[in-house]
Amino acid sequence: MKVLPDSAADLIARLLKRRGITRVFALCGGHIMPIWMRLDAAGIRIVDVRDERAAVHMAQAHAELTGELGVALVTAGPGMTNAVTGIANAHTSRAPVLVLSGGNPRPQENRGGLQDMDHTQLVRSITRYARTVREPSLVLQELDEAISRAFGEGGEPGPSYIDFPTDTLRGIVPKALQLDEHLDPKPRTVTLPNPAEVARAVELLWSARRVLVISGRGARGAGAELIGLLDRLGAAYLDTGESRGLVPDDHPSVVAAMRGAVMGDADVVLTVGRRLDFQLGYGSPAVFKDAKFIRIADAPSEMRDNRRGVVEIMASPAETLRAMVAQAGNRQSRVDRQWAAKLRSGHEDRARKLQQSMAAAPNGADGRLHPNKVLSALQQAIGNDSIVITDGGDFLAFARVGLNAPMMLDPGPFGCIGIGVPYGIAASLAFPGKTVVVATGDGAFGFNAIEIDTAVRHKAPVLIVVANNGAWQIEVHDQTVTHGKVVGTRLQFADHAGMARAFGMHAERVETEEQLGPAIERALANRPALLDMVVTPEAISSDGKTGLAWVPDLQPLAAWDDAERKWRASQGNA
């Protein structure tokens, strides 16, 4: 059945085109075919994937790397349920993603039709907006609202979901209701800070001796302003993955390798668009001691979670940082420059030693490569103008410190391993002129390994590096140490390169140091490509050593859990 111009499906495509959408990540199905064909007619590229979860992951990566809306299109029933993990990850990461789906024609609803279910009930708790639109004339205004909600207009940013009965998609929208006010792109809301609160923040920051600044998702787009504040204030700076690359590693404020020391030593902590979640010990006094907090955010969850600030500014981070520097004027910061310089020196020393130890990392007793040897060679080959996606459990702990790039993504606060290949495909399509590398463990790779077919078909110039240690290694280590027995956590040293070649991808298996450099060079020249790096399972990661796998009661890491217990006992409320 043909889909006509001025149909609801046609208007969906026209709105997305007007909003600057150039590609939609999707997997086909009859319930969404009207949208599918009108997207194609509008000149919007459809990146057809092999699993709906991957479609939403790709939409999220596109959104996080470009700042634009990411759009996924999935069919009804199992197509939509397959997408739920991707939607949940975008929800936790607060990424602006629009997920579109379809459903049974209205006369067949609730009668046992094919793939008939109430999708909106399923996703309402993990979306900012979830609607079924049954009336064609309401499609534009509902879509406009869903996009606004995805960008956080009136609340938290995150995924929006809309589906449409198939007969609604074929229905004609009267021209009188095809209003430009719904079709046209909307400017992003900029919220200016309260000058009185800016003055309070500046007074506290410029009077403090040991200031730590931590950035997160909400600081994206405020890189220049953040650097300007750091330059004027002389504070120490951390990011924990959400805004990796926002401040260059060669900036004197960056002290990532001294994370534990600076978190326990700061007297004032400024968070910029960053939740105080498990990665930051929930902001607990057991970790941050007596530090006072200043919170800046454009979303409530990044301002009031776990610890309240003595100053809280709900406003656009870029505008707030700019206003703070202006408010400070020529005032001299009282930050202890020797303290900051010592932290920076410690960071540089540890980073230098890490680079040296990585390059010299010996093979395991089994003769297999150390993960750090692989990462050292990879970093040297990709240079400093790349996009890096790190994925996995055990291997992620090596990769997040062993690799560095101006733009980086990882499984995020949801710990959603398996994002590597989809994120890498989306990144390489959005930035075809950059080197895009996925560094993933073999376990994580398996979740979306089939998407190497998508990379080949769409000529996505991505390099996928699989660290193949034949195990869920963090769990193997925990089971060995804690339980004295390994149960259900070993994998094969599977031939991932052979799998990739079966789909037409350039792929090699690397097992020796002599093969390492030449294989990386060939892979970079023949993307999309996959390197199956056989690494030793004897290498124990930092996360393996810190107790992450056994999930302590009070804090995510064993050392923090011990500190939390001691702090609570000292307060008389253990």
Side-chain angles (χ1 to χ4, degrees):
M1 191 177 295
K2 283 219 166 190
V3 187
L4 300 173
D6 295 324
S7 63
D10 183 60
L11 268 293
I12 291 169
R14 282 166 53 190
L15 183 146
L16 293 178
K17 183 82 170 180
R18 191 88 69 93
R19 299 294 177 97
I21 303 302
T22 58
R23 63 178 61 89
V24 169
F25 305 95
L27 204 159
C28 62
H31 294 98
I32 57 171
M33 197 56 69
I35 302 176
W36 191 281
M37 299 312 296
R38 295 318 298 177
L39 290 174
D40 179 69
I44 295 175
R45 180 179 179 181
I46 297 173
V47 180
D48 54 307
V49 302
R50 297 295 301 272
D51 186 279
E52 289 86 357
R53 167 175 51 184
V56 184
H57 285 332
M58 291 181 195
Q60 178 177 341
H62 180 90
E64 295 207 39
L65 291 169
T66 66
E68 302 168 355
L69 181 72
V71 182
L73 174 62
V74 303
T75 199
M80 192 273 155
T81 59
N82 285 347
V84 167
T85 295
I87 296 172
N89 190 47
H91 159 72
T92 305
S93 299
R94 305 176 299 288
V97 170
L98 174 67
V99 180
L100 303 174
S101 189
N104 276 291
R106 286 167 290 181
Q108 297 184 46
E109 286 185 326
N110 304 315
R111 299 183 65 194
L114 176 66
Q115 299 178 337
D116 188 21
M117 67 179 300
D118 187 347
H119 302 137
T120 57
Q121 290 290 350
L122 192 63
V123 300
R124 185 157 284 126
S125 68
I126 53 172
T127 54
R128 304 301 178 264
Y129 196 72
R131 291 287 178 87
T132 295
V133 182
R134 293 179 170 84
E135 168 55 45
S137 64
L138 296 178
V139 163
L140 284 181
Q141 66 187 63
E142 288 284 358
L143 201 54
D144 181 35
E145 181 64 18
I147 292 171
S148 294
R149 296 288 188 93
F151 279 116
E153 300 289 341
E156 298 277 327
S160 285
Y161 173 85
I162 298 189
D163 62 23
F164 314 87
T166 309
D167 62 326
T168 297
L169 292 172
R170 292 191 285 256
I172 300 301
V173 177
K175 286 192 179 294
L177 298 180
Q178 298 177 23
L179 301 177
D180 285 338
E181 66 191 55
H182 294 140
L183 286 162
D184 285 343
K186 305 298 187 292
R188 302 282 287 278
T189 298
V190 174
T191 305
L192 299 179
N194 181 331
E197 295 305 304
V198 169
R200 289 184 62 213
V202 167
E203 179 61 35
L204 185 55
L205 288 168
W206 261 254
S207 300
R209 298 289 288 163
R210 300 182 304 278
V211 179
L212 171 62
V213 178
I214 307 176
S215 66
R217 178 217 63 87
R220 293 175 189 161
E225 291 79 7
L226 179 57
I227 291 170
L229 178 82
L230 293 171
D231 289 344
R232 286 282 290 106
L233 190 55
Y237 170 76
L238 289 178
D239 83 71
T240 53
E242 289 190 354
S243 54
R244 184 82 177 266
L246 197 64
V247 176
D249 195 53
D250 61 2
H251 192 280
S253 289
V254 173
V255 295
M258 303 295 289
R259 174 183 170 189
V262 71
M263 286 167 62
D265 203 30
D267 56 5
V268 172
V269 177
L270 169 65
T271 64
V272 184
R274 186 61 170 90
R275 296 185 66 185
L276 289 169
D277 60 11
F278 75 97
Q279 295 170 314
L280 292 169
Y282 310 113
S284 171
V287 176
F288 286 93
K289 305 298 189 292
D290 297 323
K292 297 177 180 178
F293 285 86
I294 299 174
R295 312 287 304 266
I296 297 171
D298 59 5
S301 70
E302 294 168 358
M303 192 175 73
R304 294 194 292 267
D305 67 311
N306 290 311
R307 295 293 301 275
R308 298 301 297 257
V310 293
V311 181
E312 296 176 341
I313 302 177
M314 178 70 83
S316 300
E319 295 296 329
T320 304
L321 295 171
R322 191 180 300 119
M324 288 167 66
V325 171
Q327 171 71 27
N330 294 323
R331 179 174 176 176
Q332 195 72 25
S333 165
R334 293 193 68 249
V335 166
D336 184 339
R337 301 291 171 153
Q338 287 186 329
W339 170 79
K342 183 178 178 181
L343 286 168
R344 177 62 185 178
S345 176
H347 165 81
E348 291 176 331
D349 186 51
R350 288 186 178 182
R352 184 169 50 253
K353 288 178 179 177
L354 175 64
Q355 291 173 357
Q356 293 169 351
S357 67
M358 286 175 61
N363 291 351
D366 55 9
R368 297 186 176 107
L369 291 165
H370 194 289
N372 276 340
K373 176 74 75 173
V374 171
L375 293 167
S376 177
L378 187 59
Q379 181 68 63
Q380 186 175 359
I382 64 176
N384 297 318
D385 189 27
S386 56
I387 299 174
V388 171
I389 314 297
T390 55
D391 190 14
D394 192 64
F395 185 61
L396 176 64
F398 291 106
R400 68 172 174 240
V401 296
L403 294 176
N404 195 35
M407 288 193 281
M408 298 186 73
L409 293 178
D410 63 23
F414 196 47
C416 192
I417 66 172
I419 50 82
V421 176
Y423 276 20
I425 291 170
S428 64
L429 292 174
F431 299 93
K434 289 186 177 291
T435 298
V436 176
V437 175
V438 175
T440 178
D442 53 342
F445 172 69
F447 285 103
N448 286 295
I450 192 64
E451 299 304 331
I452 61 178
D453 173 59
T454 305
V456 171
R457 287 184 293 106
H458 287 275
K459 298 180 173 58
V462 59
L463 169 58
I464 301 163
V465 178
V466 182
N468 185 354
N469 63 7
W472 300 101
Q473 192 54 41
I474 283 184
E475 285 73 21
V476 168
H477 178 69
D478 175 55
Q479 288 178 341
T480 302
V481 172
T482 307
H483 306 284
K485 184 179 181 182
V486 176
V487 182
T489 52
R490 294 202 190 278
L491 305 172
Q492 303 179 61
F493 284 92
D495 186 359
H496 302 303
M499 176 187 178
R501 284 194 296 269
F503 285 100
M505 180 178 281
H506 174 92
E508 300 182 40
R509 189 173 176 92
V510 178
E511 298 180 283
T512 68
E513 184 176 350
E514 292 71 29
Q515 295 171 336
L516 192 53
I520 293 173
E521 185 177 349
R522 286 189 295 271
L524 287 170
N526 290 281
R527 291 170 286 158
L530 181 143
L531 293 176
D532 185 12
M533 303 283 195
V534 181
V535 298
T536 180
E538 297 170 13
I540 308 302
S541 70
S542 59
D543 283 351
K545 296 173 183 176
T546 55
L548 190 67
W550 59 267
V551 193
D553 290 343
L554 303 179
Q555 286 280 357
L557 304 179
W560 286 355
D561 190 72
D562 289 342
E564 185 76 24
R565 292 178 187 279
K566 291 175 182 177
W567 175 76
R568 292 188 183 193
S570 73
Q571 303 300 306
N573 57 352

